[in-house]
Amino acid sequence: MATKGTDGTDVGTTLTTQGDILYRDGSGLQRLAAGTANQVLQTGGAGANPSWGTLSSDWVKIVTNDTSSDVGSVNWYHGVNGVVLDNTYRFYKLIGSLRPAVNGEDFRFRLGYHASGSEGINNSGYFSETHRSYYSGGTSREARTDLIVKSIGGTQSASEQRSNFEVTFFNMSDTGVNTTAHMQYATIDGSGNTENQVNQGTSGGCYATAGATNQIRLYTGSGSVGACEITLYGLK
C-alpha cells in the first residue's frame, strides 16, 4: 500500500535546529539555518536559493525625542544617545510637534559642531528668511542672522495645542559647503487658551561660513520648550 521515501531526504533529518527553514535546491531538500537578529529572508529570483540579508532603507529613523516637561532646549549631538549627524546620510530631517512653556512663543533652530564632549552652538553668522500667512488674513516676513530657521506667530502653551513642523538640513558634513535648512510649519495660536488663529509658513536659511556641522538645537523665543514629540530621520 505504501513505500518509504529515499533515505536521507525526510524532513526530520534535514531540519535539526530551532529556527531552521526547509527549502529545495537543484537536487533536493535543504536546510537554511537561522540568520542573525533583525535579518530578513530574501530571494535571488528563479534558480537561486533563499538566504538571509540585512534590510536596507534610504529613509532611516535615527532617534525619537519625547519630552513631557519643560526643558530649556532640545539638542541632537552626533555620537550621543544614538544620534547620527555625519556623512552617513545625505540629508537629515526632523518631523514633530511641540508647545512652548510660555504662551504665544515661537520656536527656532540653531546649528553647531560637537566634539570631544563640548558643544559649539553658533549663535550668529546665519542668513535666515521666514514667511507666514494666518487665518484672519494677512502675511508677515522676518529676516534674522542669529538662527537658521524659525516660526513666526506664537503657539498656545495649553497642553492640548501644538506647533507641527518638518525641517530638512542639507550638507551638514561637507567641510567646503554651507549647511542650509528649509522648514514648513503650522501653529495653533489664540488668546490664552482660546483658539482663534492658525499660522502657517515656510522658513529657509544657511550658516554663512562653509564647514561641517553635527549639532542641532531647538529652542523657543523665551522660556522653555514645554513638551515635544520629534523624530530625527536620515535620508541617503
Side-chain angles (χ1 to χ4, degrees):
M1 295 181 66
T3 60
K4 74 178 184 71
T6 304
D7 290 344
T9 61
D10 62 284
V11 174
T13 301
T14 306
L15 301 181
T16 61
T17 308
Q18 181 179 356
D20 286 349
I21 292 178
L22 184 71
Y23 72 95
R24 190 190 190 286
D25 66 5
S27 59
L29 299 180
Q30 302 295 337
R31 165 185 174 260
L32 177 64
T36 58
N38 299 320
Q39 284 189 312
V40 295
L41 188 65
Q42 59 186 15
T43 177
N49 297 327
S51 62
W52 296 107
T54 300
L55 185 64
S56 178
S57 174
D58 290 339
W59 181 293
V60 178
K61 183 174 78 171
I62 297 173
V63 66
T64 296
N65 293 74
D66 290 331
T67 300
S68 58
S69 58
D70 295 3
V71 293
S73 61
V74 182
N75 295 272
W76 294 266
Y77 301 87
H78 174 67
V80 178
N81 297 325
V83 172
V84 177
L85 289 171
D86 61 9
N87 59 6
T88 301
Y89 302 98
R90 187 175 183 185
F91 311 115
Y92 288 92
K93 185 181 289 288
L94 288 171
I95 300 176
S97 66
L98 64 89
R99 66 172 178 84
V102 176
N103 192 65
E105 281 301 323
D106 59 21
F107 62 96
R108 311 169 179 196
F109 288 90
R110 284 174 172 161
L111 300 174
Y113 193 84
H114 176 76
S116 303
S118 62
E119 67 176 36
I121 287 292
N122 300 316
N123 298 325
S124 61
Y126 301 89
F127 297 119
S128 175
E129 195 274 341
T130 304
H131 181 273
R132 69 136 178 186
S133 59
Y134 44 93
Y135 166 76
S136 58
T139 62
S140 59
R141 174 188 176 273
E142 185 176 353
R144 303 284 292 253
T145 59
D146 61 336
L147 50 83
I148 192 163
V149 289
K150 71 179 297 289
S151 66
I152 301 178
T155 303
Q156 285 184 227
S157 61
S159 60
E160 71 274 9
Q161 304 302 344
R162 290 287 190 272
S163 292
N164 302 300
F165 64 88
E166 179 178 318
V167 54
T168 306
F169 299 91
F170 306 83
N171 306 315
M172 292 192 69
S173 299
D174 296 329
T175 57
V177 181
N178 301 74
T179 299
T180 61
H182 178 267
M183 180 174 72
Q184 54 189 13
Y185 67 90
T187 69
I188 298 176
D189 199 3
S191 176
N193 288 331
T194 301
E195 303 84 18
N196 59 15
Q197 188 69 271
V198 63
N199 303 291
Q200 65 87 28
T202 60
S203 182
C206 74
Y207 187 59
T209 302
T213 53
N214 68 358
Q215 181 180 356
I216 302 170
R217 171 168 291 177
L218 164 66
Y219 65 105
T220 54
S222 66
S224 302
V225 177
C228 67
E229 302 84 29
I230 306 170
T231 300
L232 173 67
Y233 295 91
L235 286 76
K236 294 183 178 178

